[in-house]
Amino acid sequence: MSAIKTALKAAKGALDAHQYDKAVEHATKVLKEDSKNYHANVFLALALEKQSRNEESEKAYTTATAIKANDPLAWQGLISLYEQQGGRKLVEYHDAAVHLARLFMEVDDKTRCQTVVDKYTDLARKCGSRTQYKHSLEILLPGDELYDYLEGRIPHPSYTYTKLAEIVEQDEKEKINHEIGQRRTRLGAKIDQVTVEVKREVLQNSDLEALYQHVIDWTDDQGTRRLYEEKLLQHAYDTLIVLPSSQKAGKREEVIRLAKGLVILKHPFALAWKINLEWQDVESIEELDAGLLHEYVQFFSEDGLGKVLRGYLESEISVFPKRAPDEEEKRDGAKDKKEETSPMTAEDRLVLMTDGVEDSPSSILAHRLMGEYYLHLDEYESATETARKARRQVTLESRMSGLPFQNISDAINVVLGTALVQYQAPRHHPEARSLFEGILARKPANSSTLVGIGLILEEQEEFEEAINFLERTLQYAPSTRIRAEAAWCRALSGDFATALSELEECLPHLNELDLRTKSLKAQTLYRMGMCMWNLDSTKSSRRDRSRAYARFISALQADMNFAPAYTILGIYYTDYAKDKSRARKCFQKAFELSSSEVVAAERLAQSFAKTSEWDLVEIVAQRVVESGKLRPPPGSKKKGISWPFAALGVVQLTNQEYPKSIVSFQSALRISPEDYYSWVGLGESYQSSGRYIAATKAFEQAQKLEQELGPQVLGDTWFSKYMLANVKRELGEYDAAITGYREVLASRRNEYGVSIASLQTFVEAAWNDLELGFFGRAIENAREALETAKDIVTWRKDAFNLWKLVGDLCSIYTYIRSYVEDFPIQDVRDLLKLDDNLEDYKLLADFDGVDLAAFDSSVADDSAKSMLECCSFAGILAQKRAISCCTHNPHARAVAWYNLGWAEHRAHSCLDGSHQKDVKPLKYLKAAVQCFKRAIELESGNSEFWNSLGIVTSQLNPRVAQHSFVRSLYLNDKSARTWTNLGVFYLTEGDVQLANDAFTRAQSVDPDHAQAWLGQGLLAAQLGETDEARTLFTHASEISSASATQIQRSYASSTLDHLLSSPHAPKDTAYLLQPLLALRRLSKLSLDDLPYDHVRSLFQERIGDHANASQALAKICSALETEYETSESSETLGRFAQAKADLSRSLLAERDLEGAVETAETALDLSADDDQPNKAREKTRLSAYLSAGLGHYYQRSMDRSIEMFKGALEETQGNPDIVCLLAQVLWAKGGEQERAIARDQLFDCIEKRPGHVATTLLLGVIAVLDDDRDTIEAVSDDLQLLRSRDDLNPGQHKQLSQLLNAVAALYPSDKDQTSAQTSEAATAVMLGPSLPY
């Protein structure tokens, strides 16, 4: 025991000497002897603490406190240890401090107890978190024994509760923000829903309201108390908003209690006052406390609701008496400012209340009061908008508070329904009636609802039911206005006498000085006048100014802005007083006052339309449309009004706003499906916008109505037939269009527009047939067009379109030259000479030499070329006449010069001048240049004029041509024709790159423009790319019209070149038909085109049409013979010889052997004198030799045949095919010598041309016939090698297989005959599975 004491003393001394290691050593020694030694643990803990061994020190202190829990020494050391560590051990510090403070409390040491508490709370405030600081403050709250012991020495509870509230406020705010930030990123999360959920979780478990209440209970400061009362209410309100509906009741009662408390105290906290006012579910505004409203205005004068309340309380519709200011208010007002003595004006009041509603978008009461005030001002649109906003806010507030607000909702619905009855009536009547019926189901005596339904029924022309509702209203709320409305319903139902009597009874009750009854008096007088007007509808009665007229005037005297009175007065002045000026003024005044005056608007629109004031018609119609009076509500007996939409459609059609006019006419037809003229207008709009199918349906519907309604209702209906014919013409249904025009002309013979349209249709049909290749039908349409023109010119000979179309139909004959002899010269001549003024035809005669005299001279000659000249001259003269018919129209004159320019250019293309005397070269082209220049002078912005000038100057002046094309593209760079023309220009000038660029651009602008592909093909041909050129020509032919002669030529010639040059070219008939058809069309369009007639005969020969080929070749030979006799040209002679050779081949195919031999020998004679080596000559002579040789062969003239084949061999220098033919002829002659010669020729040929198929085949056949086994064996090996070649055609494959099969059958090797034949057949099928055998 003494050792322990000694060790403890030593430990104490070591501590005093700051020898902490020794202190630890001595204390440890004691604890080894006595582990429960209190002082040893304390000394050890202190020594460890000084060595900063905090964990071990804390353990020692804890052990000591466990040994002697009521000894403060160890607790003081433990607290000191915790203080040194700052905030890291605040949780343990809390327990230690509380225990130590209670120890001091037990020994009644208040100073030391307070010191412990103060140090702990101060450390928690400085170093701890908000939660730890809050935990430290809780020991200072009332109810804790330390608070009771230290009361007066520690902070007041109000301070402590305030600090706790601030801490909790901050914690909740951070928690809400943190949780929202985390949850909003989840998949499918919505920010509003997340916010509500988070707030609900936090606020439901919040201690703030209890803390706020403690602050309120303990504080002595009134300002602090009111502040925390506000916070308490706000927190309770926020919690109420996020609570589910099932949990709102209790919290709502608490919120209402708190709000009422603040209002009773007259504390100006806006939320409390708004809850107290807004949550009162009153049916009428007068149920609210007037004093409360005035106090709200006093406290919150700048608040939105305060502004609305102020305006309402001072307005004429306020249900509360005006409040005089009390003495205190008067003193305050005199002290602060001088009060205004003048009352608020109506304008200022409206501005104030409008601003208030905008400042308080969530206030139900503000919107309710504003809606009622708008109704008082007859601002139904604003009332509707305001009531709708109020309904949305009621729904929102009901969802937040859990209150149904049924009375408020009904009151707002009454405002909305009343406004909808008048606003754009009757558009919104179904909605208004639904609202009223919902209210009546709950409140059958609601007078506003009964009146609203009565007015709706009146508008729907259900007058008996309307009277019933209005009379029910009078039972609950007698009113002169309602009594007058019921009387008017009787009038509308036809009981004018009773209605007049009841209206006269109402009149004395209306005070004119009262502004609210002023308009009602005017309305009553007007209705009395209308009853008189309808009671006696005779003209004399209605003219009587002492009857209805006097009432209408009295109505205007009562209210100068009563629009219906102006309307009926306008009708009076129009129909009875015959004063159009006054009538128009009355209608204008009525419509200015009210857009609902549809009758006045219709009369105005008709008046403006008669004077073509389309802008004013549009304004009137648009305003009526916007009034909402046009479409009746569903189920109404009242008919809709369609004329405003139809009027808008007419105006838009006149202004070429076709999409808008379509919409307008469609709207008119939705209201009045049997409106004939709207169907016609809709069809015209569709047609003008290019929607021809829809236009057809519209016009057909109009014609159905014609049949149903008849001419007695509709009058003359020819226009729809005319427009339908126009649509058919646009669709290319020319026969139907012509039929339609003829139907119209049957009843309106001299209708110029229809006649010209008919003429234009014939001409367009002719051009269309020309494009499609129906040349005969095109000529028939041209004849019909001429007959129509002859009829028109008898009564309208100065029409530009007439002569333009005559020129076009004359030009058609120049395109189809095979029908040029059918040109009706005499009819055209009579047409041109119908007018005595012949000076018009001398226009540009100095350039082109074309006038009537030139035309007459051409008529005298009946040759084909003269007939072509007549057609061209007639077209030019007709276009000249068109120019003289449009002297006063610059645009038409420019187009006329343009048309004449193309007529001159067509003459240049058709007439070479070789048959005319004194012909100037290029005179028509120069005349065309003058025409296009004059067109450009008149209209320089037309790209087509510049393009045309470029075409005609390409040959005369390339610089001008290039400038013209570039200018045209500057004006319209989307023209494929201009790009193509520019490409041709560059091609002729030798600029290949620019030509290619231009053609490529044309193809990109319009891929279906065939001439662009033709130009690209010509360019490829010039560069030697024949395959590419042929492909381009083929594509151009596929997409081109039948009249594109150059495309047909290029396509046919390139196809023939391919057939002649390529061994792999298709030889089937289908491949040859298209170029043959192109050449046949070409023969109809271009007479005497001998080269291409020759090409056509070659295609006919290839498809086996030898008769037509022979006929064509004979015609070509005759023409070439005539030409050679005239020119004696060696080139013509060569062509003649070639044609003869081709003719002999065709005759041979027809089995005309004598003709074939004779023609072939003629060809040989014609080509014998040319010593110049020529490939074409060699082919000609070879063909002639072969034809003659075969002809003699089939005539059994073997010697002569052999002679011809020998000549062919000499010409071709041993051609193996010729050798084969000669061998066959020699073998056929039958002599041993000839057959030996045939064998020798074949062996020589195979030595020179090893692998020649025909030679090898013939040697094999001869070997089989001679039974020459050695030769058969050798030839069989060669045949086996040949049959595997890729360049064999199907015929050669078949011949090889047949010969090898015969050899196998006659000379089997080691197999039997059947097996050998089967093997050969299998080999043949394997090598050519698709070939016929």
Side-chain angles (χ1 to χ4, degrees):
M1 190 69 180
S2 60
I4 292 175
K5 290 183 178 180
T6 303
L8 286 173
K9 288 181 179 180
K12 179 70 171 62
L15 286 172
D16 292 340
H18 304 291
Q19 294 176 353
Y20 304 117
D21 291 337
K22 291 183 178 181
V24 169
E25 182 181 348
H26 293 305
T28 303
K29 187 183 296 184
V30 173
L31 291 172
K32 286 180 180 180
E33 296 294 331
D34 183 7
S35 61
K36 301 293 186 179
N37 190 292
Y38 175 77
H39 289 95
N41 279 290
V42 171
F43 291 156
L44 176 61
L46 181 59
L48 292 171
E49 177 186 349
K50 296 300 183 180
Q51 291 179 332
S52 299
R53 295 162 66 181
N54 297 331
E55 296 296 330
E56 298 176 46
S57 175
E58 180 183 2
K59 185 177 180 182
Y61 278 131
T62 303
T63 303
T65 57
I67 296 171
K68 290 184 178 181
N70 294 326
D71 192 322
L73 179 61
W75 291 105
Q76 287 175 331
L78 186 59
I79 287 175
S80 175
L81 176 65
Y82 289 150
E83 286 177 353
Q84 292 177 16
Q85 298 182 54
R88 283 180 294 176
K89 293 289 185 176
L90 274 175
V91 176
E92 292 82 357
Y93 191 0
H94 174 83
D95 296 336
V98 170
H99 192 88
L100 181 60
R102 286 176 178 168
L103 290 178
F104 289 140
M105 180 183 68
E106 291 174 1
V107 296
D108 196 21
D109 190 346
K110 292 186 177 182
T111 301
R112 297 176 72 183
C113 180
Q114 179 184 352
T115 301
V116 171
V117 172
D118 289 346
K119 283 184 178 181
Y120 167 57
T121 55
D122 188 55
L123 182 65
R125 179 180 59 81
K126 291 180 180 179
C127 302
S129 63
R130 281 195 298 270
T131 303
Q132 291 171 334
Y133 182 44
K134 172 177 171 286
H135 193 41
S136 70
L137 291 176
E138 288 174 351
I139 65 176
L140 305 178
L141 294 176
D144 191 285
E145 56 185 349
L146 286 177
Y147 170 80
D148 295 336
Y149 179 68
L150 297 175
E151 186 177 6
R153 289 176 170 269
I154 57 176
H156 192 270
S158 63
Y159 173 81
T160 306
Y161 281 122
T162 300
K163 288 296 181 182
L164 287 172
E166 291 173 355
I167 292 170
V168 175
E169 283 176 358
Q170 190 67 23
D171 284 344
E172 287 187 0
K173 182 178 179 181
E174 289 183 0
K175 184 176 182 181
I176 290 172
N177 293 336
H178 176 72
E179 289 296 324
I180 291 175
Q182 279 193 331
R183 298 186 189 184
R184 67 182 299 180
T185 59
R186 295 175 181 173
L187 188 63
K190 297 180 180 179
I191 183 63
D192 295 337
Q193 183 179 356
V194 167
T195 301
V196 170
E197 291 175 355
V198 171
K199 285 186 175 182
R200 182 186 301 146
E201 293 174 7
V202 174
L203 297 182
Q204 269 188 308
N205 301 315
S206 174
D207 298 329
L208 264 181
E209 292 183 25
L211 293 173
Y212 290 153
Q213 189 62 53
H214 285 309
V215 174
I216 293 168
D217 294 341
W218 282 97
T219 186
D220 296 327
D221 182 65
Q222 290 297 326
T224 303
R225 181 176 288 110
R226 298 293 171 262
L227 174 63
Y228 278 88
E229 285 175 347
E230 291 178 7
K231 288 188 175 186
L232 178 59
L233 174 59
Q234 186 67 57
H235 193 277
Y237 180 76
D238 293 341
T239 306
L240 173 65
I241 289 174
V242 298
L243 284 175
S245 300
S246 59
Q247 301 177 17
K248 285 183 182 289
K251 180 59 71 173
R252 182 175 61 249
E253 295 301 324
E254 180 184 348
V255 170
I256 294 173
R257 177 182 58 78
L258 293 172
K260 284 184 177 180
L262 287 172
V263 171
I264 291 172
L265 294 173
K266 293 184 170 31
H267 178 64
F269 181 49
L271 178 62
W273 287 80
K274 287 182 179 180
I275 290 172
N276 205 37
L277 289 175
E278 302 273 6
W279 287 12
Q280 293 189 48
D281 189 18
V282 295
E283 185 174 354
S284 173
I285 295 297
E286 56 188 325
E287 296 179 30
L288 294 173
D289 186 350
L292 200 63
L293 299 178
H294 285 288
E295 287 173 354
Y296 188 93
V297 173
Q298 181 181 352
F299 286 134
F300 309 102
S301 59
E302 297 303 319
D303 178 71
L305 177 58
K307 292 178 182 179
V308 175
L309 285 172
R310 181 187 171 195
Y312 174 79
L313 292 172
E314 296 183 15
S315 69
E316 60 271 24
I317 67 167
S318 174
V319 295
F320 304 110
K322 304 291 188 294
R323 191 183 70 156
D326 56 25
E327 293 300 324
E328 184 178 354
E329 288 177 347
K330 289 180 180 179
R331 288 196 302 271
D332 293 341
K335 187 182 301 182
D336 296 337
K337 61 180 179 178
K338 184 178 180 180
E339 291 287 346
E340 295 289 339
T341 57
S342 59
M344 184 184 300
T345 64
E347 291 79 5
D348 293 340
R349 183 182 305 112
L350 180 60
V351 171
L352 178 68
M353 295 179 72
T354 304
D355 292 342
V357 170
E358 291 178 356
D359 293 342
S360 55
S362 61
S363 174
I364 301 173
L365 181 59
H367 284 83
R368 179 178 177 181
L369 295 174
M370 195 71 229
E372 293 184 0
Y373 192 65
Y374 278 136
L375 282 182
H376 168 69
L377 298 177
D378 294 337
E379 293 290 338
Y380 300 114
E381 181 178 2
S382 299
T384 300
E385 183 180 351
T386 304
R388 290 192 190 282
K389 291 180 180 178
R391 291 184 72 194
R392 289 194 292 269
Q393 195 56 42
V394 167
T395 303
L396 180 62
E397 194 68 30
S398 177
R399 187 166 61 249
M400 290 192 302
S401 65
L403 292 170
F405 295 122
Q406 187 61 62
N407 290 328
I408 293 176
S409 180
D410 288 345
I412 292 172
N413 285 339
V414 167
V415 174
L416 177 59
T418 305
L420 290 175
V421 169
Q422 303 296 334
Y423 175 52
Q424 293 185 345
R427 177 185 295 178
H428 304 291
H429 282 183
E431 181 184 358
R433 185 166 183 173
S434 175
L435 292 172
F436 289 146
E437 289 174 348
I439 297 170
L440 277 180
R442 294 184 294 274
K443 301 171 182 176
N446 190 296
S447 58
S448 299
T449 305
L450 292 169
V451 171
I453 294 179
L455 294 175
I456 291 172
L457 293 170
E458 177 185 338
E459 181 66 28
Q460 295 177 356
E461 299 183 356
E462 298 178 6
F463 303 117
E464 296 299 329
E465 293 187 32
I467 293 170
N468 179 31
F469 273 91
L470 293 173
E471 288 180 346
R472 283 173 58 189
T473 307
L474 291 173
Q475 295 175 7
Y476 300 114
S479 168
T480 303
R481 182 183 296 275
I482 298 173
R483 187 175 291 109
E485 197 66 41
W488 179 240
C489 287
R490 295 188 193 281
L492 294 175
S493 64
D495 190 359
F496 297 108
T498 305
L500 180 60
S501 174
E502 292 180 356
L503 288 170
E504 288 175 347
E505 293 176 3
C506 294
L507 193 60
H509 299 285
L510 301 175
N511 183 7
E512 190 172 341
L513 298 178
D514 186 356
L515 296 177
R516 301 183 68 176
T517 59
K518 182 179 178 180
S519 62
L520 179 58
K521 183 175 182 179
Q523 184 185 65
T524 304
L525 287 167
Y526 161 76
R527 290 176 172 178
M528 290 171 63
M530 290 302 299
C531 290
M532 294 179 181
W533 182 273
N534 290 297
L535 274 173
D536 188 354
S537 59
T538 62
K539 287 189 176 181
S540 59
S541 175
R542 290 187 174 181
R543 280 200 193 114
D544 188 354
R545 297 202 171 197
S546 64
R547 290 178 56 77
Y549 177 83
R551 299 299 186 278
F552 299 144
I553 295 297
S554 298
L556 290 179
Q557 290 172 349
D559 185 359
M560 291 298 294
N561 294 326
F562 189 68
Y566 287 105
T567 300
I568 192 63
L569 283 174
I571 296 173
Y572 170 82
Y573 286 125
T574 301
D575 298 342
Y576 301 101
K578 304 301 180 183
D579 190 342
K580 293 184 179 180
S581 176
R582 283 191 176 182
R584 188 165 183 171
K585 290 179 181 178
C586 287
F587 289 136
Q588 286 179 337
K589 183 66 175 177
F591 193 58
E592 287 174 5
L593 291 172
S594 174
S595 61
S596 299
E597 292 302 310
V598 180
V599 175
E602 185 175 9
R603 297 281 186 128
L604 271 180
Q606 291 173 350
S607 173
F608 292 141
K610 289 177 181 178
T611 56
S612 298
E613 298 177 78
W614 299 112
D615 292 343
L616 297 177
V617 173
E618 183 179 15
I619 291 172
V620 171
Q622 187 62 44
R623 191 175 176 210
V624 176
V625 170
E626 293 172 355
S627 70
K629 290 279 186 181
L630 305 184
R631 292 185 175 90
S636 174
K637 297 178 182 179
K638 192 172 183 180
K639 292 184 178 180
I641 302 171
S642 63
W643 71 261
F645 288 111
L648 279 177
V650 172
V651 173
Q652 291 156 353
L653 191 60
T654 304
N655 296 334
Q656 298 182 359
E657 298 174 339
Y658 305 121
K660 292 183 180 179
S661 67
I662 289 171
V663 174
S664 297
F665 284 123
Q666 286 176 339
S667 300
L669 289 169
R670 290 190 188 100
I671 297 173
S672 302
E674 296 184 355
D675 186 351
Y676 168 79
Y677 296 101
S678 291
W679 281 111
V680 174
L682 179 62
E684 189 173 357
S685 300
Y686 278 134
Q687 180 196 4
S688 301
S689 60
R691 299 168 64 180
Y692 300 118
I693 301 299
T696 301
K697 294 179 180 178
F699 286 127
E700 288 175 349
Q701 181 63 32
Q703 292 187 350
K704 287 182 181 178
L705 291 175
E706 290 176 13
Q707 298 174 359
E708 294 174 3
L709 301 177
Q712 295 80 8
V713 177
L714 300 176
D716 201 350
T717 57
W718 65 271
F719 186 72
S720 65
K721 296 184 179 68
Y722 165 67
M723 293 302 296
L724 180 58
N726 287 342
V727 173
K728 296 294 185 182
R729 187 188 71 214
E730 297 291 347
L731 288 171
E733 300 176 15
Y734 298 109
D735 293 338
I738 290 169
T739 302
Y741 291 134
R742 284 175 174 169
E743 290 179 3
V744 177
L745 290 172
S747 59
R748 302 180 69 88
R749 177 173 176 74
N750 293 339
E751 188 68 44
Y752 169 71
V754 181
S755 299
I756 283 294
S758 177
L759 174 59
Q760 183 177 351
T761 304
F762 278 119
V763 175
E764 287 184 9
W767 284 115
N768 183 66
D769 292 334
L770 174 62
E771 298 294 315
L772 295 176
F774 303 129
F775 303 128
R777 198 164 67 183
I779 294 300
E780 290 178 6
N781 283 319
R783 288 174 187 158
E784 292 286 346
L786 184 59
E787 293 297 323
T788 305
K790 285 169 61 180
D791 177 65
I792 296 173
V793 82
T794 57
W795 51 272
R796 185 72 177 271
K797 58 187 177 183
D798 58 347
F800 160 72
N801 287 337
L802 168 65
W803 294 105
K804 185 262 180 188
L805 293 169
V806 169
D808 287 347
L809 69 89
C810 292
S811 296
I812 290 172
Y813 284 91
T814 67
Y815 284 93
I816 313 174
R817 297 187 187 180
S818 58
Y819 289 91
V820 73
E821 295 180 356
D822 297 336
F823 181 64
I825 296 176
Q826 193 57 46
D827 290 341
V828 174
R829 186 178 183 184
D830 295 341
L831 196 64
L832 294 173
K833 290 187 175 183
L834 188 64
D835 196 357
D836 295 334
N837 184 13
L838 305 179
E839 294 298 321
D840 296 337
Y841 298 123
K842 294 182 179 181
L843 192 67
L844 292 183
D846 295 339
F847 285 91
D848 59 12
V850 178
D851 55 13
L852 277 178
F855 178 70
D856 290 339
S857 64
S858 296
V859 171
D861 188 358
D862 59 352
S863 65
K865 288 189 175 180
S866 293
M867 293 298 292
L868 185 60
E869 187 178 78
C870 288
C871 298
S872 300
F873 284 4
I876 291 173
L877 292 174
Q879 299 296 354
K880 288 182 178 181
R881 182 64 185 279
I883 293 175
S884 66
C885 296
C886 56
T887 55
H888 301 296
N889 188 335
H891 173 70
R893 194 170 179 80
V895 173
W897 279 109
Y898 172 76
N899 294 334
L900 177 58
W902 278 116
E904 297 281 4
H905 183 267
R906 185 61 190 164
H908 167 74
S909 302
C910 297
L911 307 176
D912 57 7
S914 60
H915 62 290
Q916 296 173 282
K917 297 179 181 180
D918 302 326
V919 175
K920 297 178 183 179
L922 305 177
K923 65 174 185 176
Y924 301 114
L925 202 59
K926 292 179 179 178
V929 171
Q930 295 301 316
C931 294
F932 291 133
K933 283 184 176 179
R934 295 195 184 185
I936 290 171
E937 289 173 1
L938 292 168
E939 193 174 328
S940 60
N942 193 310
S943 62
E944 290 298 323
F945 294 175
W946 286 101
N947 176 48
S948 304
L949 181 62
I951 292 172
V952 298
T953 55
S954 297
Q955 187 176 352
L956 299 173
N957 192 331
R959 290 187 177 182
V960 174
Q962 183 179 20
H963 170 75
S964 300
F965 288 134
V966 172
R967 181 66 180 172
S968 176
L969 290 172
Y970 171 76
L971 296 171
N972 179 18
D973 62 349
K974 301 297 183 183
S975 173
R977 286 193 299 174
T978 307
W979 282 109
T980 302
N981 293 333
L982 181 61
V984 173
F985 171 78
Y986 285 136
L987 186 61
T988 56
E989 294 298 316
D991 195 329
V992 175
Q993 182 59 47
L994 288 177
N996 181 65
D997 293 342
F999 289 136
T1000 303
R1001 183 65 181 273
Q1003 292 163 4
S1004 65
V1005 171
D1006 183 6
D1008 293 330
H1009 187 61
Q1011 279 70 21
W1013 297 95
L1014 171 64
Q1016 198 87 25
L1018 294 173
L1019 182 62
Q1022 182 175 323
L1023 297 175
E1025 300 174 0
T1026 55
D1027 290 340
E1028 178 69 15
R1030 187 185 70 260
T1031 302
L1032 292 168
F1033 291 146
T1034 303
H1035 180 67
S1037 176
E1038 290 171 353
I1039 64 176
S1040 70
S1041 64
S1043 60
T1045 55
Q1046 185 56 48
I1047 293 177
Q1048 314 299 343
R1049 292 188 181 105
S1050 301
Y1051 169 53
S1053 59
S1054 65
T1055 304
L1056 182 61
D1057 291 341
H1058 179 58
L1059 289 171
L1060 298 175
S1061 61
S1062 175
H1064 302 291
K1067 302 297 190 298
D1068 55 308
T1069 303
Y1071 179 73
L1072 303 175
L1073 280 178
Q1074 288 300 324
L1076 180 58
L1077 290 174
L1079 290 167
R1080 291 187 64 180
R1081 288 195 295 264
L1082 186 62
S1083 67
K1084 296 287 185 181
L1085 296 171
S1086 302
L1087 294 176
D1088 301 330
D1089 196 353
L1090 297 180
Y1092 289 95
D1093 286 342
H1094 197 165
V1095 172
R1096 176 164 56 91
S1097 69
L1098 296 178
F1099 277 103
Q1100 289 171 333
E1101 179 186 3
R1102 283 178 175 269
I1103 67 170
D1105 188 5
H1106 302 294
N1108 285 326
S1110 299
Q1111 184 180 356
L1113 287 168
K1115 183 179 177 181
I1116 293 169
C1117 288
S1118 177
L1120 289 173
E1121 184 177 5
T1122 303
E1123 183 180 345
Y1124 178 71
E1125 290 174 355
T1126 304
S1127 64
E1128 294 185 357
S1129 167
S1130 59
E1131 181 182 354
T1132 304
L1133 181 62
R1135 290 166 56 198
F1136 183 31
Q1138 184 179 0
K1140 282 289 187 179
D1142 293 340
L1143 177 59
S1144 68
R1145 199 167 56 248
S1146 295
L1147 292 173
L1148 179 64
E1150 286 189 276
R1151 294 295 189 269
D1152 185 358
L1153 303 179
E1154 292 182 4
V1157 170
E1158 181 183 354
T1159 306
E1161 290 177 348
T1162 302
L1164 290 172
D1165 293 340
L1166 291 173
S1167 59
D1169 297 336
D1170 192 354
D1171 297 331
Q1172 297 291 332
N1174 190 314
K1175 210 168 198 180
R1177 174 181 173 275
E1178 292 176 1
K1179 289 184 177 181
T1180 299
R1181 290 183 64 79
L1182 175 61
S1183 176
Y1185 273 124
L1186 292 176
S1187 298
L1190 290 172
H1192 285 300
Y1193 171 77
Y1194 289 116
Q1195 287 180 328
R1196 302 301 177 183
S1197 300
M1198 298 301 177
D1199 294 335
R1200 189 65 178 152
S1201 175
I1202 292 171
E1203 181 182 345
M1204 289 298 170
F1205 284 126
K1206 286 182 178 179
L1209 280 175
E1210 293 175 1
E1211 287 288 339
T1212 60
Q1213 299 178 356
N1215 187 290
D1217 292 325
I1218 306 300
V1219 171
C1220 291
L1221 286 173
L1222 178 59
Q1224 290 175 359
V1225 173
L1226 289 170
W1227 189 272
K1229 189 174 181 182
E1232 288 298 328
Q1233 183 179 359
E1234 287 80 4
R1235 293 187 177 186
I1237 294 173
R1239 291 190 194 94
D1240 294 340
Q1241 289 288 339
L1242 291 173
F1243 279 117
D1244 290 341
C1245 181
I1246 203 67
E1247 289 179 3
K1248 296 177 181 178
R1249 299 284 183 87
H1252 188 259
V1253 178
T1255 306
T1256 308
L1257 278 169
L1258 280 176
L1259 283 173
V1261 171
I1262 291 173
V1264 170
L1265 293 174
D1266 290 342
D1267 196 19
D1268 187 352
R1269 292 181 177 269
D1270 294 335
T1271 304
I1272 288 173
E1273 185 176 353
V1275 170
S1276 296
D1277 294 338
D1278 292 340
L1279 291 174
Q1280 292 291 351
L1281 292 174
L1282 287 176
R1283 75 192 304 186
S1284 61
R1285 280 169 43 177
D1286 296 331
D1287 58 345
L1288 297 181
N1289 58 47
Q1292 292 172 330
H1293 263 293
K1294 184 176 180 181
Q1295 291 172 349
L1296 286 170
S1297 298
Q1298 287 176 342
L1299 180 57
L1300 287 172
N1301 196 28
V1303 170
L1306 295 173
Y1307 307 103
S1309 56
D1310 53 347
K1311 300 179 182 179
D1312 57 39
Q1313 182 178 356
T1314 304
S1315 300
Q1317 285 183 291
T1318 304
S1319 176
E1320 286 298 331
T1323 304
V1325 171
M1326 181 187 68
L1327 292 174
S1330 62
L1331 300 176
Y1333 293 101

